[in-house]
Amino acid sequence: MGREHWKKIWVGSAGNMVEWFDWFVYASFATYFAGAFFPEGNDTAKLMNTAGIFAVGFFMRPVGGWLLGRVGDRKGRKTALTLTVSLMSASAVLIAIAPTYGVAGYGGAVVLLIARLLQGLSVGGEYAASATYLTEASAPEHRGFASSFQYVSMTAGQIVGLGLQIILQRTMSDDALHSWGWRIPFIIGALGAAIVFYLRRNMLETDVYEESGDDTPAGDKGTIKALWAHKREAFLVIALTMGGTVAYYTYTTYLTKYLSNSAGLPKQTATLVSFCALIVFACLQPLAGKLSDRIGRRPLLITFAVGSTFLTVPIMTMLKHAGSFWSALGLALLALVVITGYTSINACVKAELFPTGIRALGVALPYAIANALFGGTAEYVALWFKDAGLESGFYWYVAGCAAVSLVVYLSMRETRDIDLKRVAATAPARSEEVPTPARVK
């Protein structure tokens, strides 16, 4: 890969890292600020309230996917990426200054809700814009490798957030963290977003977007009308995302709380387990992405789905009884290795399904819908099962979602060799009429 390709990947990834740092610190610091915005009561109920607001942010993602996907297809990937990071910066500032329940009653929770809605709007567009940008910015034979940096940067954002949490846990008292220390990561996130805004204003547009050979009419680019012509691909994105997003949020966002609340590990130990596991997970992404460039996308997706379907229940059960750092870390790593089959390549798989004129919206809206229904609610569903005394029911829920996606992976076509500049702009009416896609020469 040339220097220009690496520069595009770096700029796209750096912005993605900050976006997801802001998105995930809400979840990782929720145990500290849950009591700040709601009255005294059951600790699980407080976490359910904050998890509910976390889930609400996901329901804004389809709106963000539609609006910012439209911008990405009509105005370019660069414009969409710049806009997403601006919205994320604003939301981080709002959370950092939100008043507590003792100061403004439920007014603070309202500010928190507004901030999460803005974050949902931003991330709804960020995923598709960065997935499309990273896929288009790479050479055809390196698309899996290049697009894997989306989850490298997403995970890096969470690693930085967890690393900051570990530092604050070791340098501040528990009372100080609950009182005001939880605001620090949101201040840092706002500053990071401002820096990325500058970087993205000077980034290069992709050659695929500028030299597209698809025949999508200019007036139809980024529209629901054009997307409906590819409804089969859109529904495919929803189905193939279902199992992956539930598993991903279970073993990343929810893992720290699960180890703390269900396994009984100290918060500091639970945080350290997640931190170490995610570092290994981030390193695995490019390796798996490169492997997909050699053997195809479907083998990795199928491996993930089979592993997640049959291993989720035993892994989650053993995690609940993990009594030490090392046993919890080993189980978490096993789960994340399985999930790598999905995370490392899902960005390029989705981008490879659509022509240039509808690619950003085609990835954004169906993916955001799937996340709103499954990924964003995973933590809330887990806590609901726990509160009802049926925690193991959540394990079967995760496994079931993976099983649904497995059926999709087994029936979908391979996308590795599709030429992004020549994908047909009009999808066939019936699946049996799908033509052989244009191949990379």
Side-chain angles (χ1 to χ4, degrees):
M1 294 179 66
R3 181 177 178 182
E4 183 177 307
H5 284 137
W6 277 111
K7 181 179 179 180
K8 289 178 178 179
I9 290 173
W10 155 244
V11 176
S13 299
N16 203 36
M17 183 185 74
V18 173
E19 287 264 2
W20 290 93
F21 169 85
D22 287 337
W23 181 257
F24 281 121
V25 290
Y26 178 98
S28 60
F29 278 85
T31 54
Y32 291 104
F33 67 74
F37 297 103
F38 301 98
E40 291 299 321
N42 181 275
D43 286 342
T44 299
K46 289 180 182 179
L47 281 175
M48 286 183 71
N49 286 330
T50 53
I53 292 179
F54 181 79
V56 166
F58 277 84
F59 284 97
M60 276 299 287
R61 287 175 67 164
V63 179
W66 170 59
L67 289 175
L68 297 170
R70 182 181 175 89
V71 171
D73 286 327
R74 285 178 170 263
K75 303 296 183 181
R77 319 313 188 199
K78 172 183 173 181
T79 300
L81 286 169
T82 303
L83 184 55
T84 60
V85 79
S86 302
L87 292 172
M88 186 60 78
S89 180
S91 66
V93 170
L94 280 178
I95 297 177
I97 65 174
T100 63
Y101 180 83
V103 173
Y106 284 107
V110 172
V111 173
L112 189 66
L113 177 62
I114 292 172
R116 285 300 294 177
L117 292 175
L118 282 177
Q119 285 191 336
L121 191 71
S122 172
V123 174
E126 171 67 25
Y127 174 87
S130 60
T132 302
Y133 188 86
L134 289 171
T135 302
E136 291 182 347
S138 59
E141 66 273 18
H142 298 303
R143 285 203 302 256
F145 174 75
S147 65
S148 72
F149 281 89
Q150 182 179 46
Y151 269 82
V152 171
S153 56
M154 285 172 61
T155 306
Q158 190 171 7
I159 290 172
V160 172
L162 287 171
L164 178 60
Q165 187 174 23
I166 292 171
I167 292 173
L168 294 178
Q169 286 173 339
R170 296 180 182 276
T171 58
M172 298 179 67
S173 68
D174 198 58
D175 288 342
L177 272 173
H178 280 85
S179 176
W180 60 272
W182 59 266
R183 297 181 187 272
I184 294 175
F186 297 103
I187 295 172
I188 293 174
L191 294 174
I195 294 172
V196 171
F197 174 81
Y198 172 78
L199 291 174
R200 285 187 166 178
R201 287 195 65 183
N202 295 283
M203 72 193 301
L204 301 172
E205 186 57 83
T206 68
D207 294 336
V208 171
Y209 180 80
E210 293 182 334
E211 303 170 6
S212 172
D214 84 78
D215 57 354
T216 303
D220 287 346
K221 289 184 177 181
T223 64
I224 298 297
K225 174 185 175 183
L227 180 59
W228 188 247
H230 296 271
K231 55 183 177 294
R232 181 174 178 271
E233 286 77 8
F235 285 115
L236 182 62
V237 169
I238 293 175
L240 69 87
T241 300
M242 179 182 177
T245 189
V246 170
Y248 177 74
Y249 281 99
T250 296
Y251 292 114
T252 57
T253 303
Y254 181 60
L255 180 64
T256 303
K257 297 186 190 67
Y258 181 71
L259 292 176
S260 178
N261 295 335
S262 297
L265 294 179
K267 287 181 180 178
Q268 293 86 345
T269 302
T271 303
L272 188 60
V273 168
S274 293
F275 180 78
C276 295
L278 287 173
I279 289 177
V280 177
F281 178 65
C283 294
L284 290 174
Q285 304 309 299
L287 298 178
K290 192 172 184 64
L291 179 63
S292 80
D293 286 327
R294 295 178 63 88
I295 67 173
R297 321 299 188 208
R298 289 180 68 249
L300 272 71
L301 291 172
I302 292 171
T303 300
F304 149 71
V306 171
S308 192
T309 298
F310 294 103
L311 295 179
T312 293
V313 175
I315 288 176
M316 293 294 286
T317 302
M318 288 188 287
L319 272 173
K320 186 174 182 178
H321 298 94
S324 67
F325 167 82
W326 290 108
S327 58
L329 178 61
L331 290 166
L333 285 175
L334 174 60
L336 290 173
V337 167
V338 171
I339 295 171
T340 295
Y342 166 81
T343 55
S344 60
I345 58 171
N346 82 94
C348 65
V349 169
K350 294 161 189 171
E352 287 166 345
L353 291 172
F354 299 94
T356 305
I358 195 63
R359 184 169 294 130
L361 181 62
V363 174
L365 187 55
Y367 173 80
I369 290 173
N371 266 272
L373 295 175
F374 304 105
T377 58
E379 182 177 333
Y380 192 83
V381 171
L383 291 170
W384 182 88
F385 273 111
K386 178 179 175 59
D387 197 49
L390 302 168
E391 191 163 34
S392 62
F394 177 67
Y395 315 160
W396 290 100
Y397 168 75
V398 177
C401 290
V404 172
S405 289
L406 174 59
V407 174
V408 176
Y409 302 152
L410 290 171
S411 60
M412 68 181 289
R413 72 176 187 265
E414 180 57 62
T415 62
R416 179 188 59 179
D417 297 323
I418 289 176
D419 187 340
L420 295 182
K421 294 181 181 180
R422 298 175 58 196
V423 180
T426 303
R430 298 193 304 273
S431 60
E432 64 267 22
E433 294 175 352
V434 176
T436 302
R439 302 274 170 178
V440 178
K441 304 298 183 184

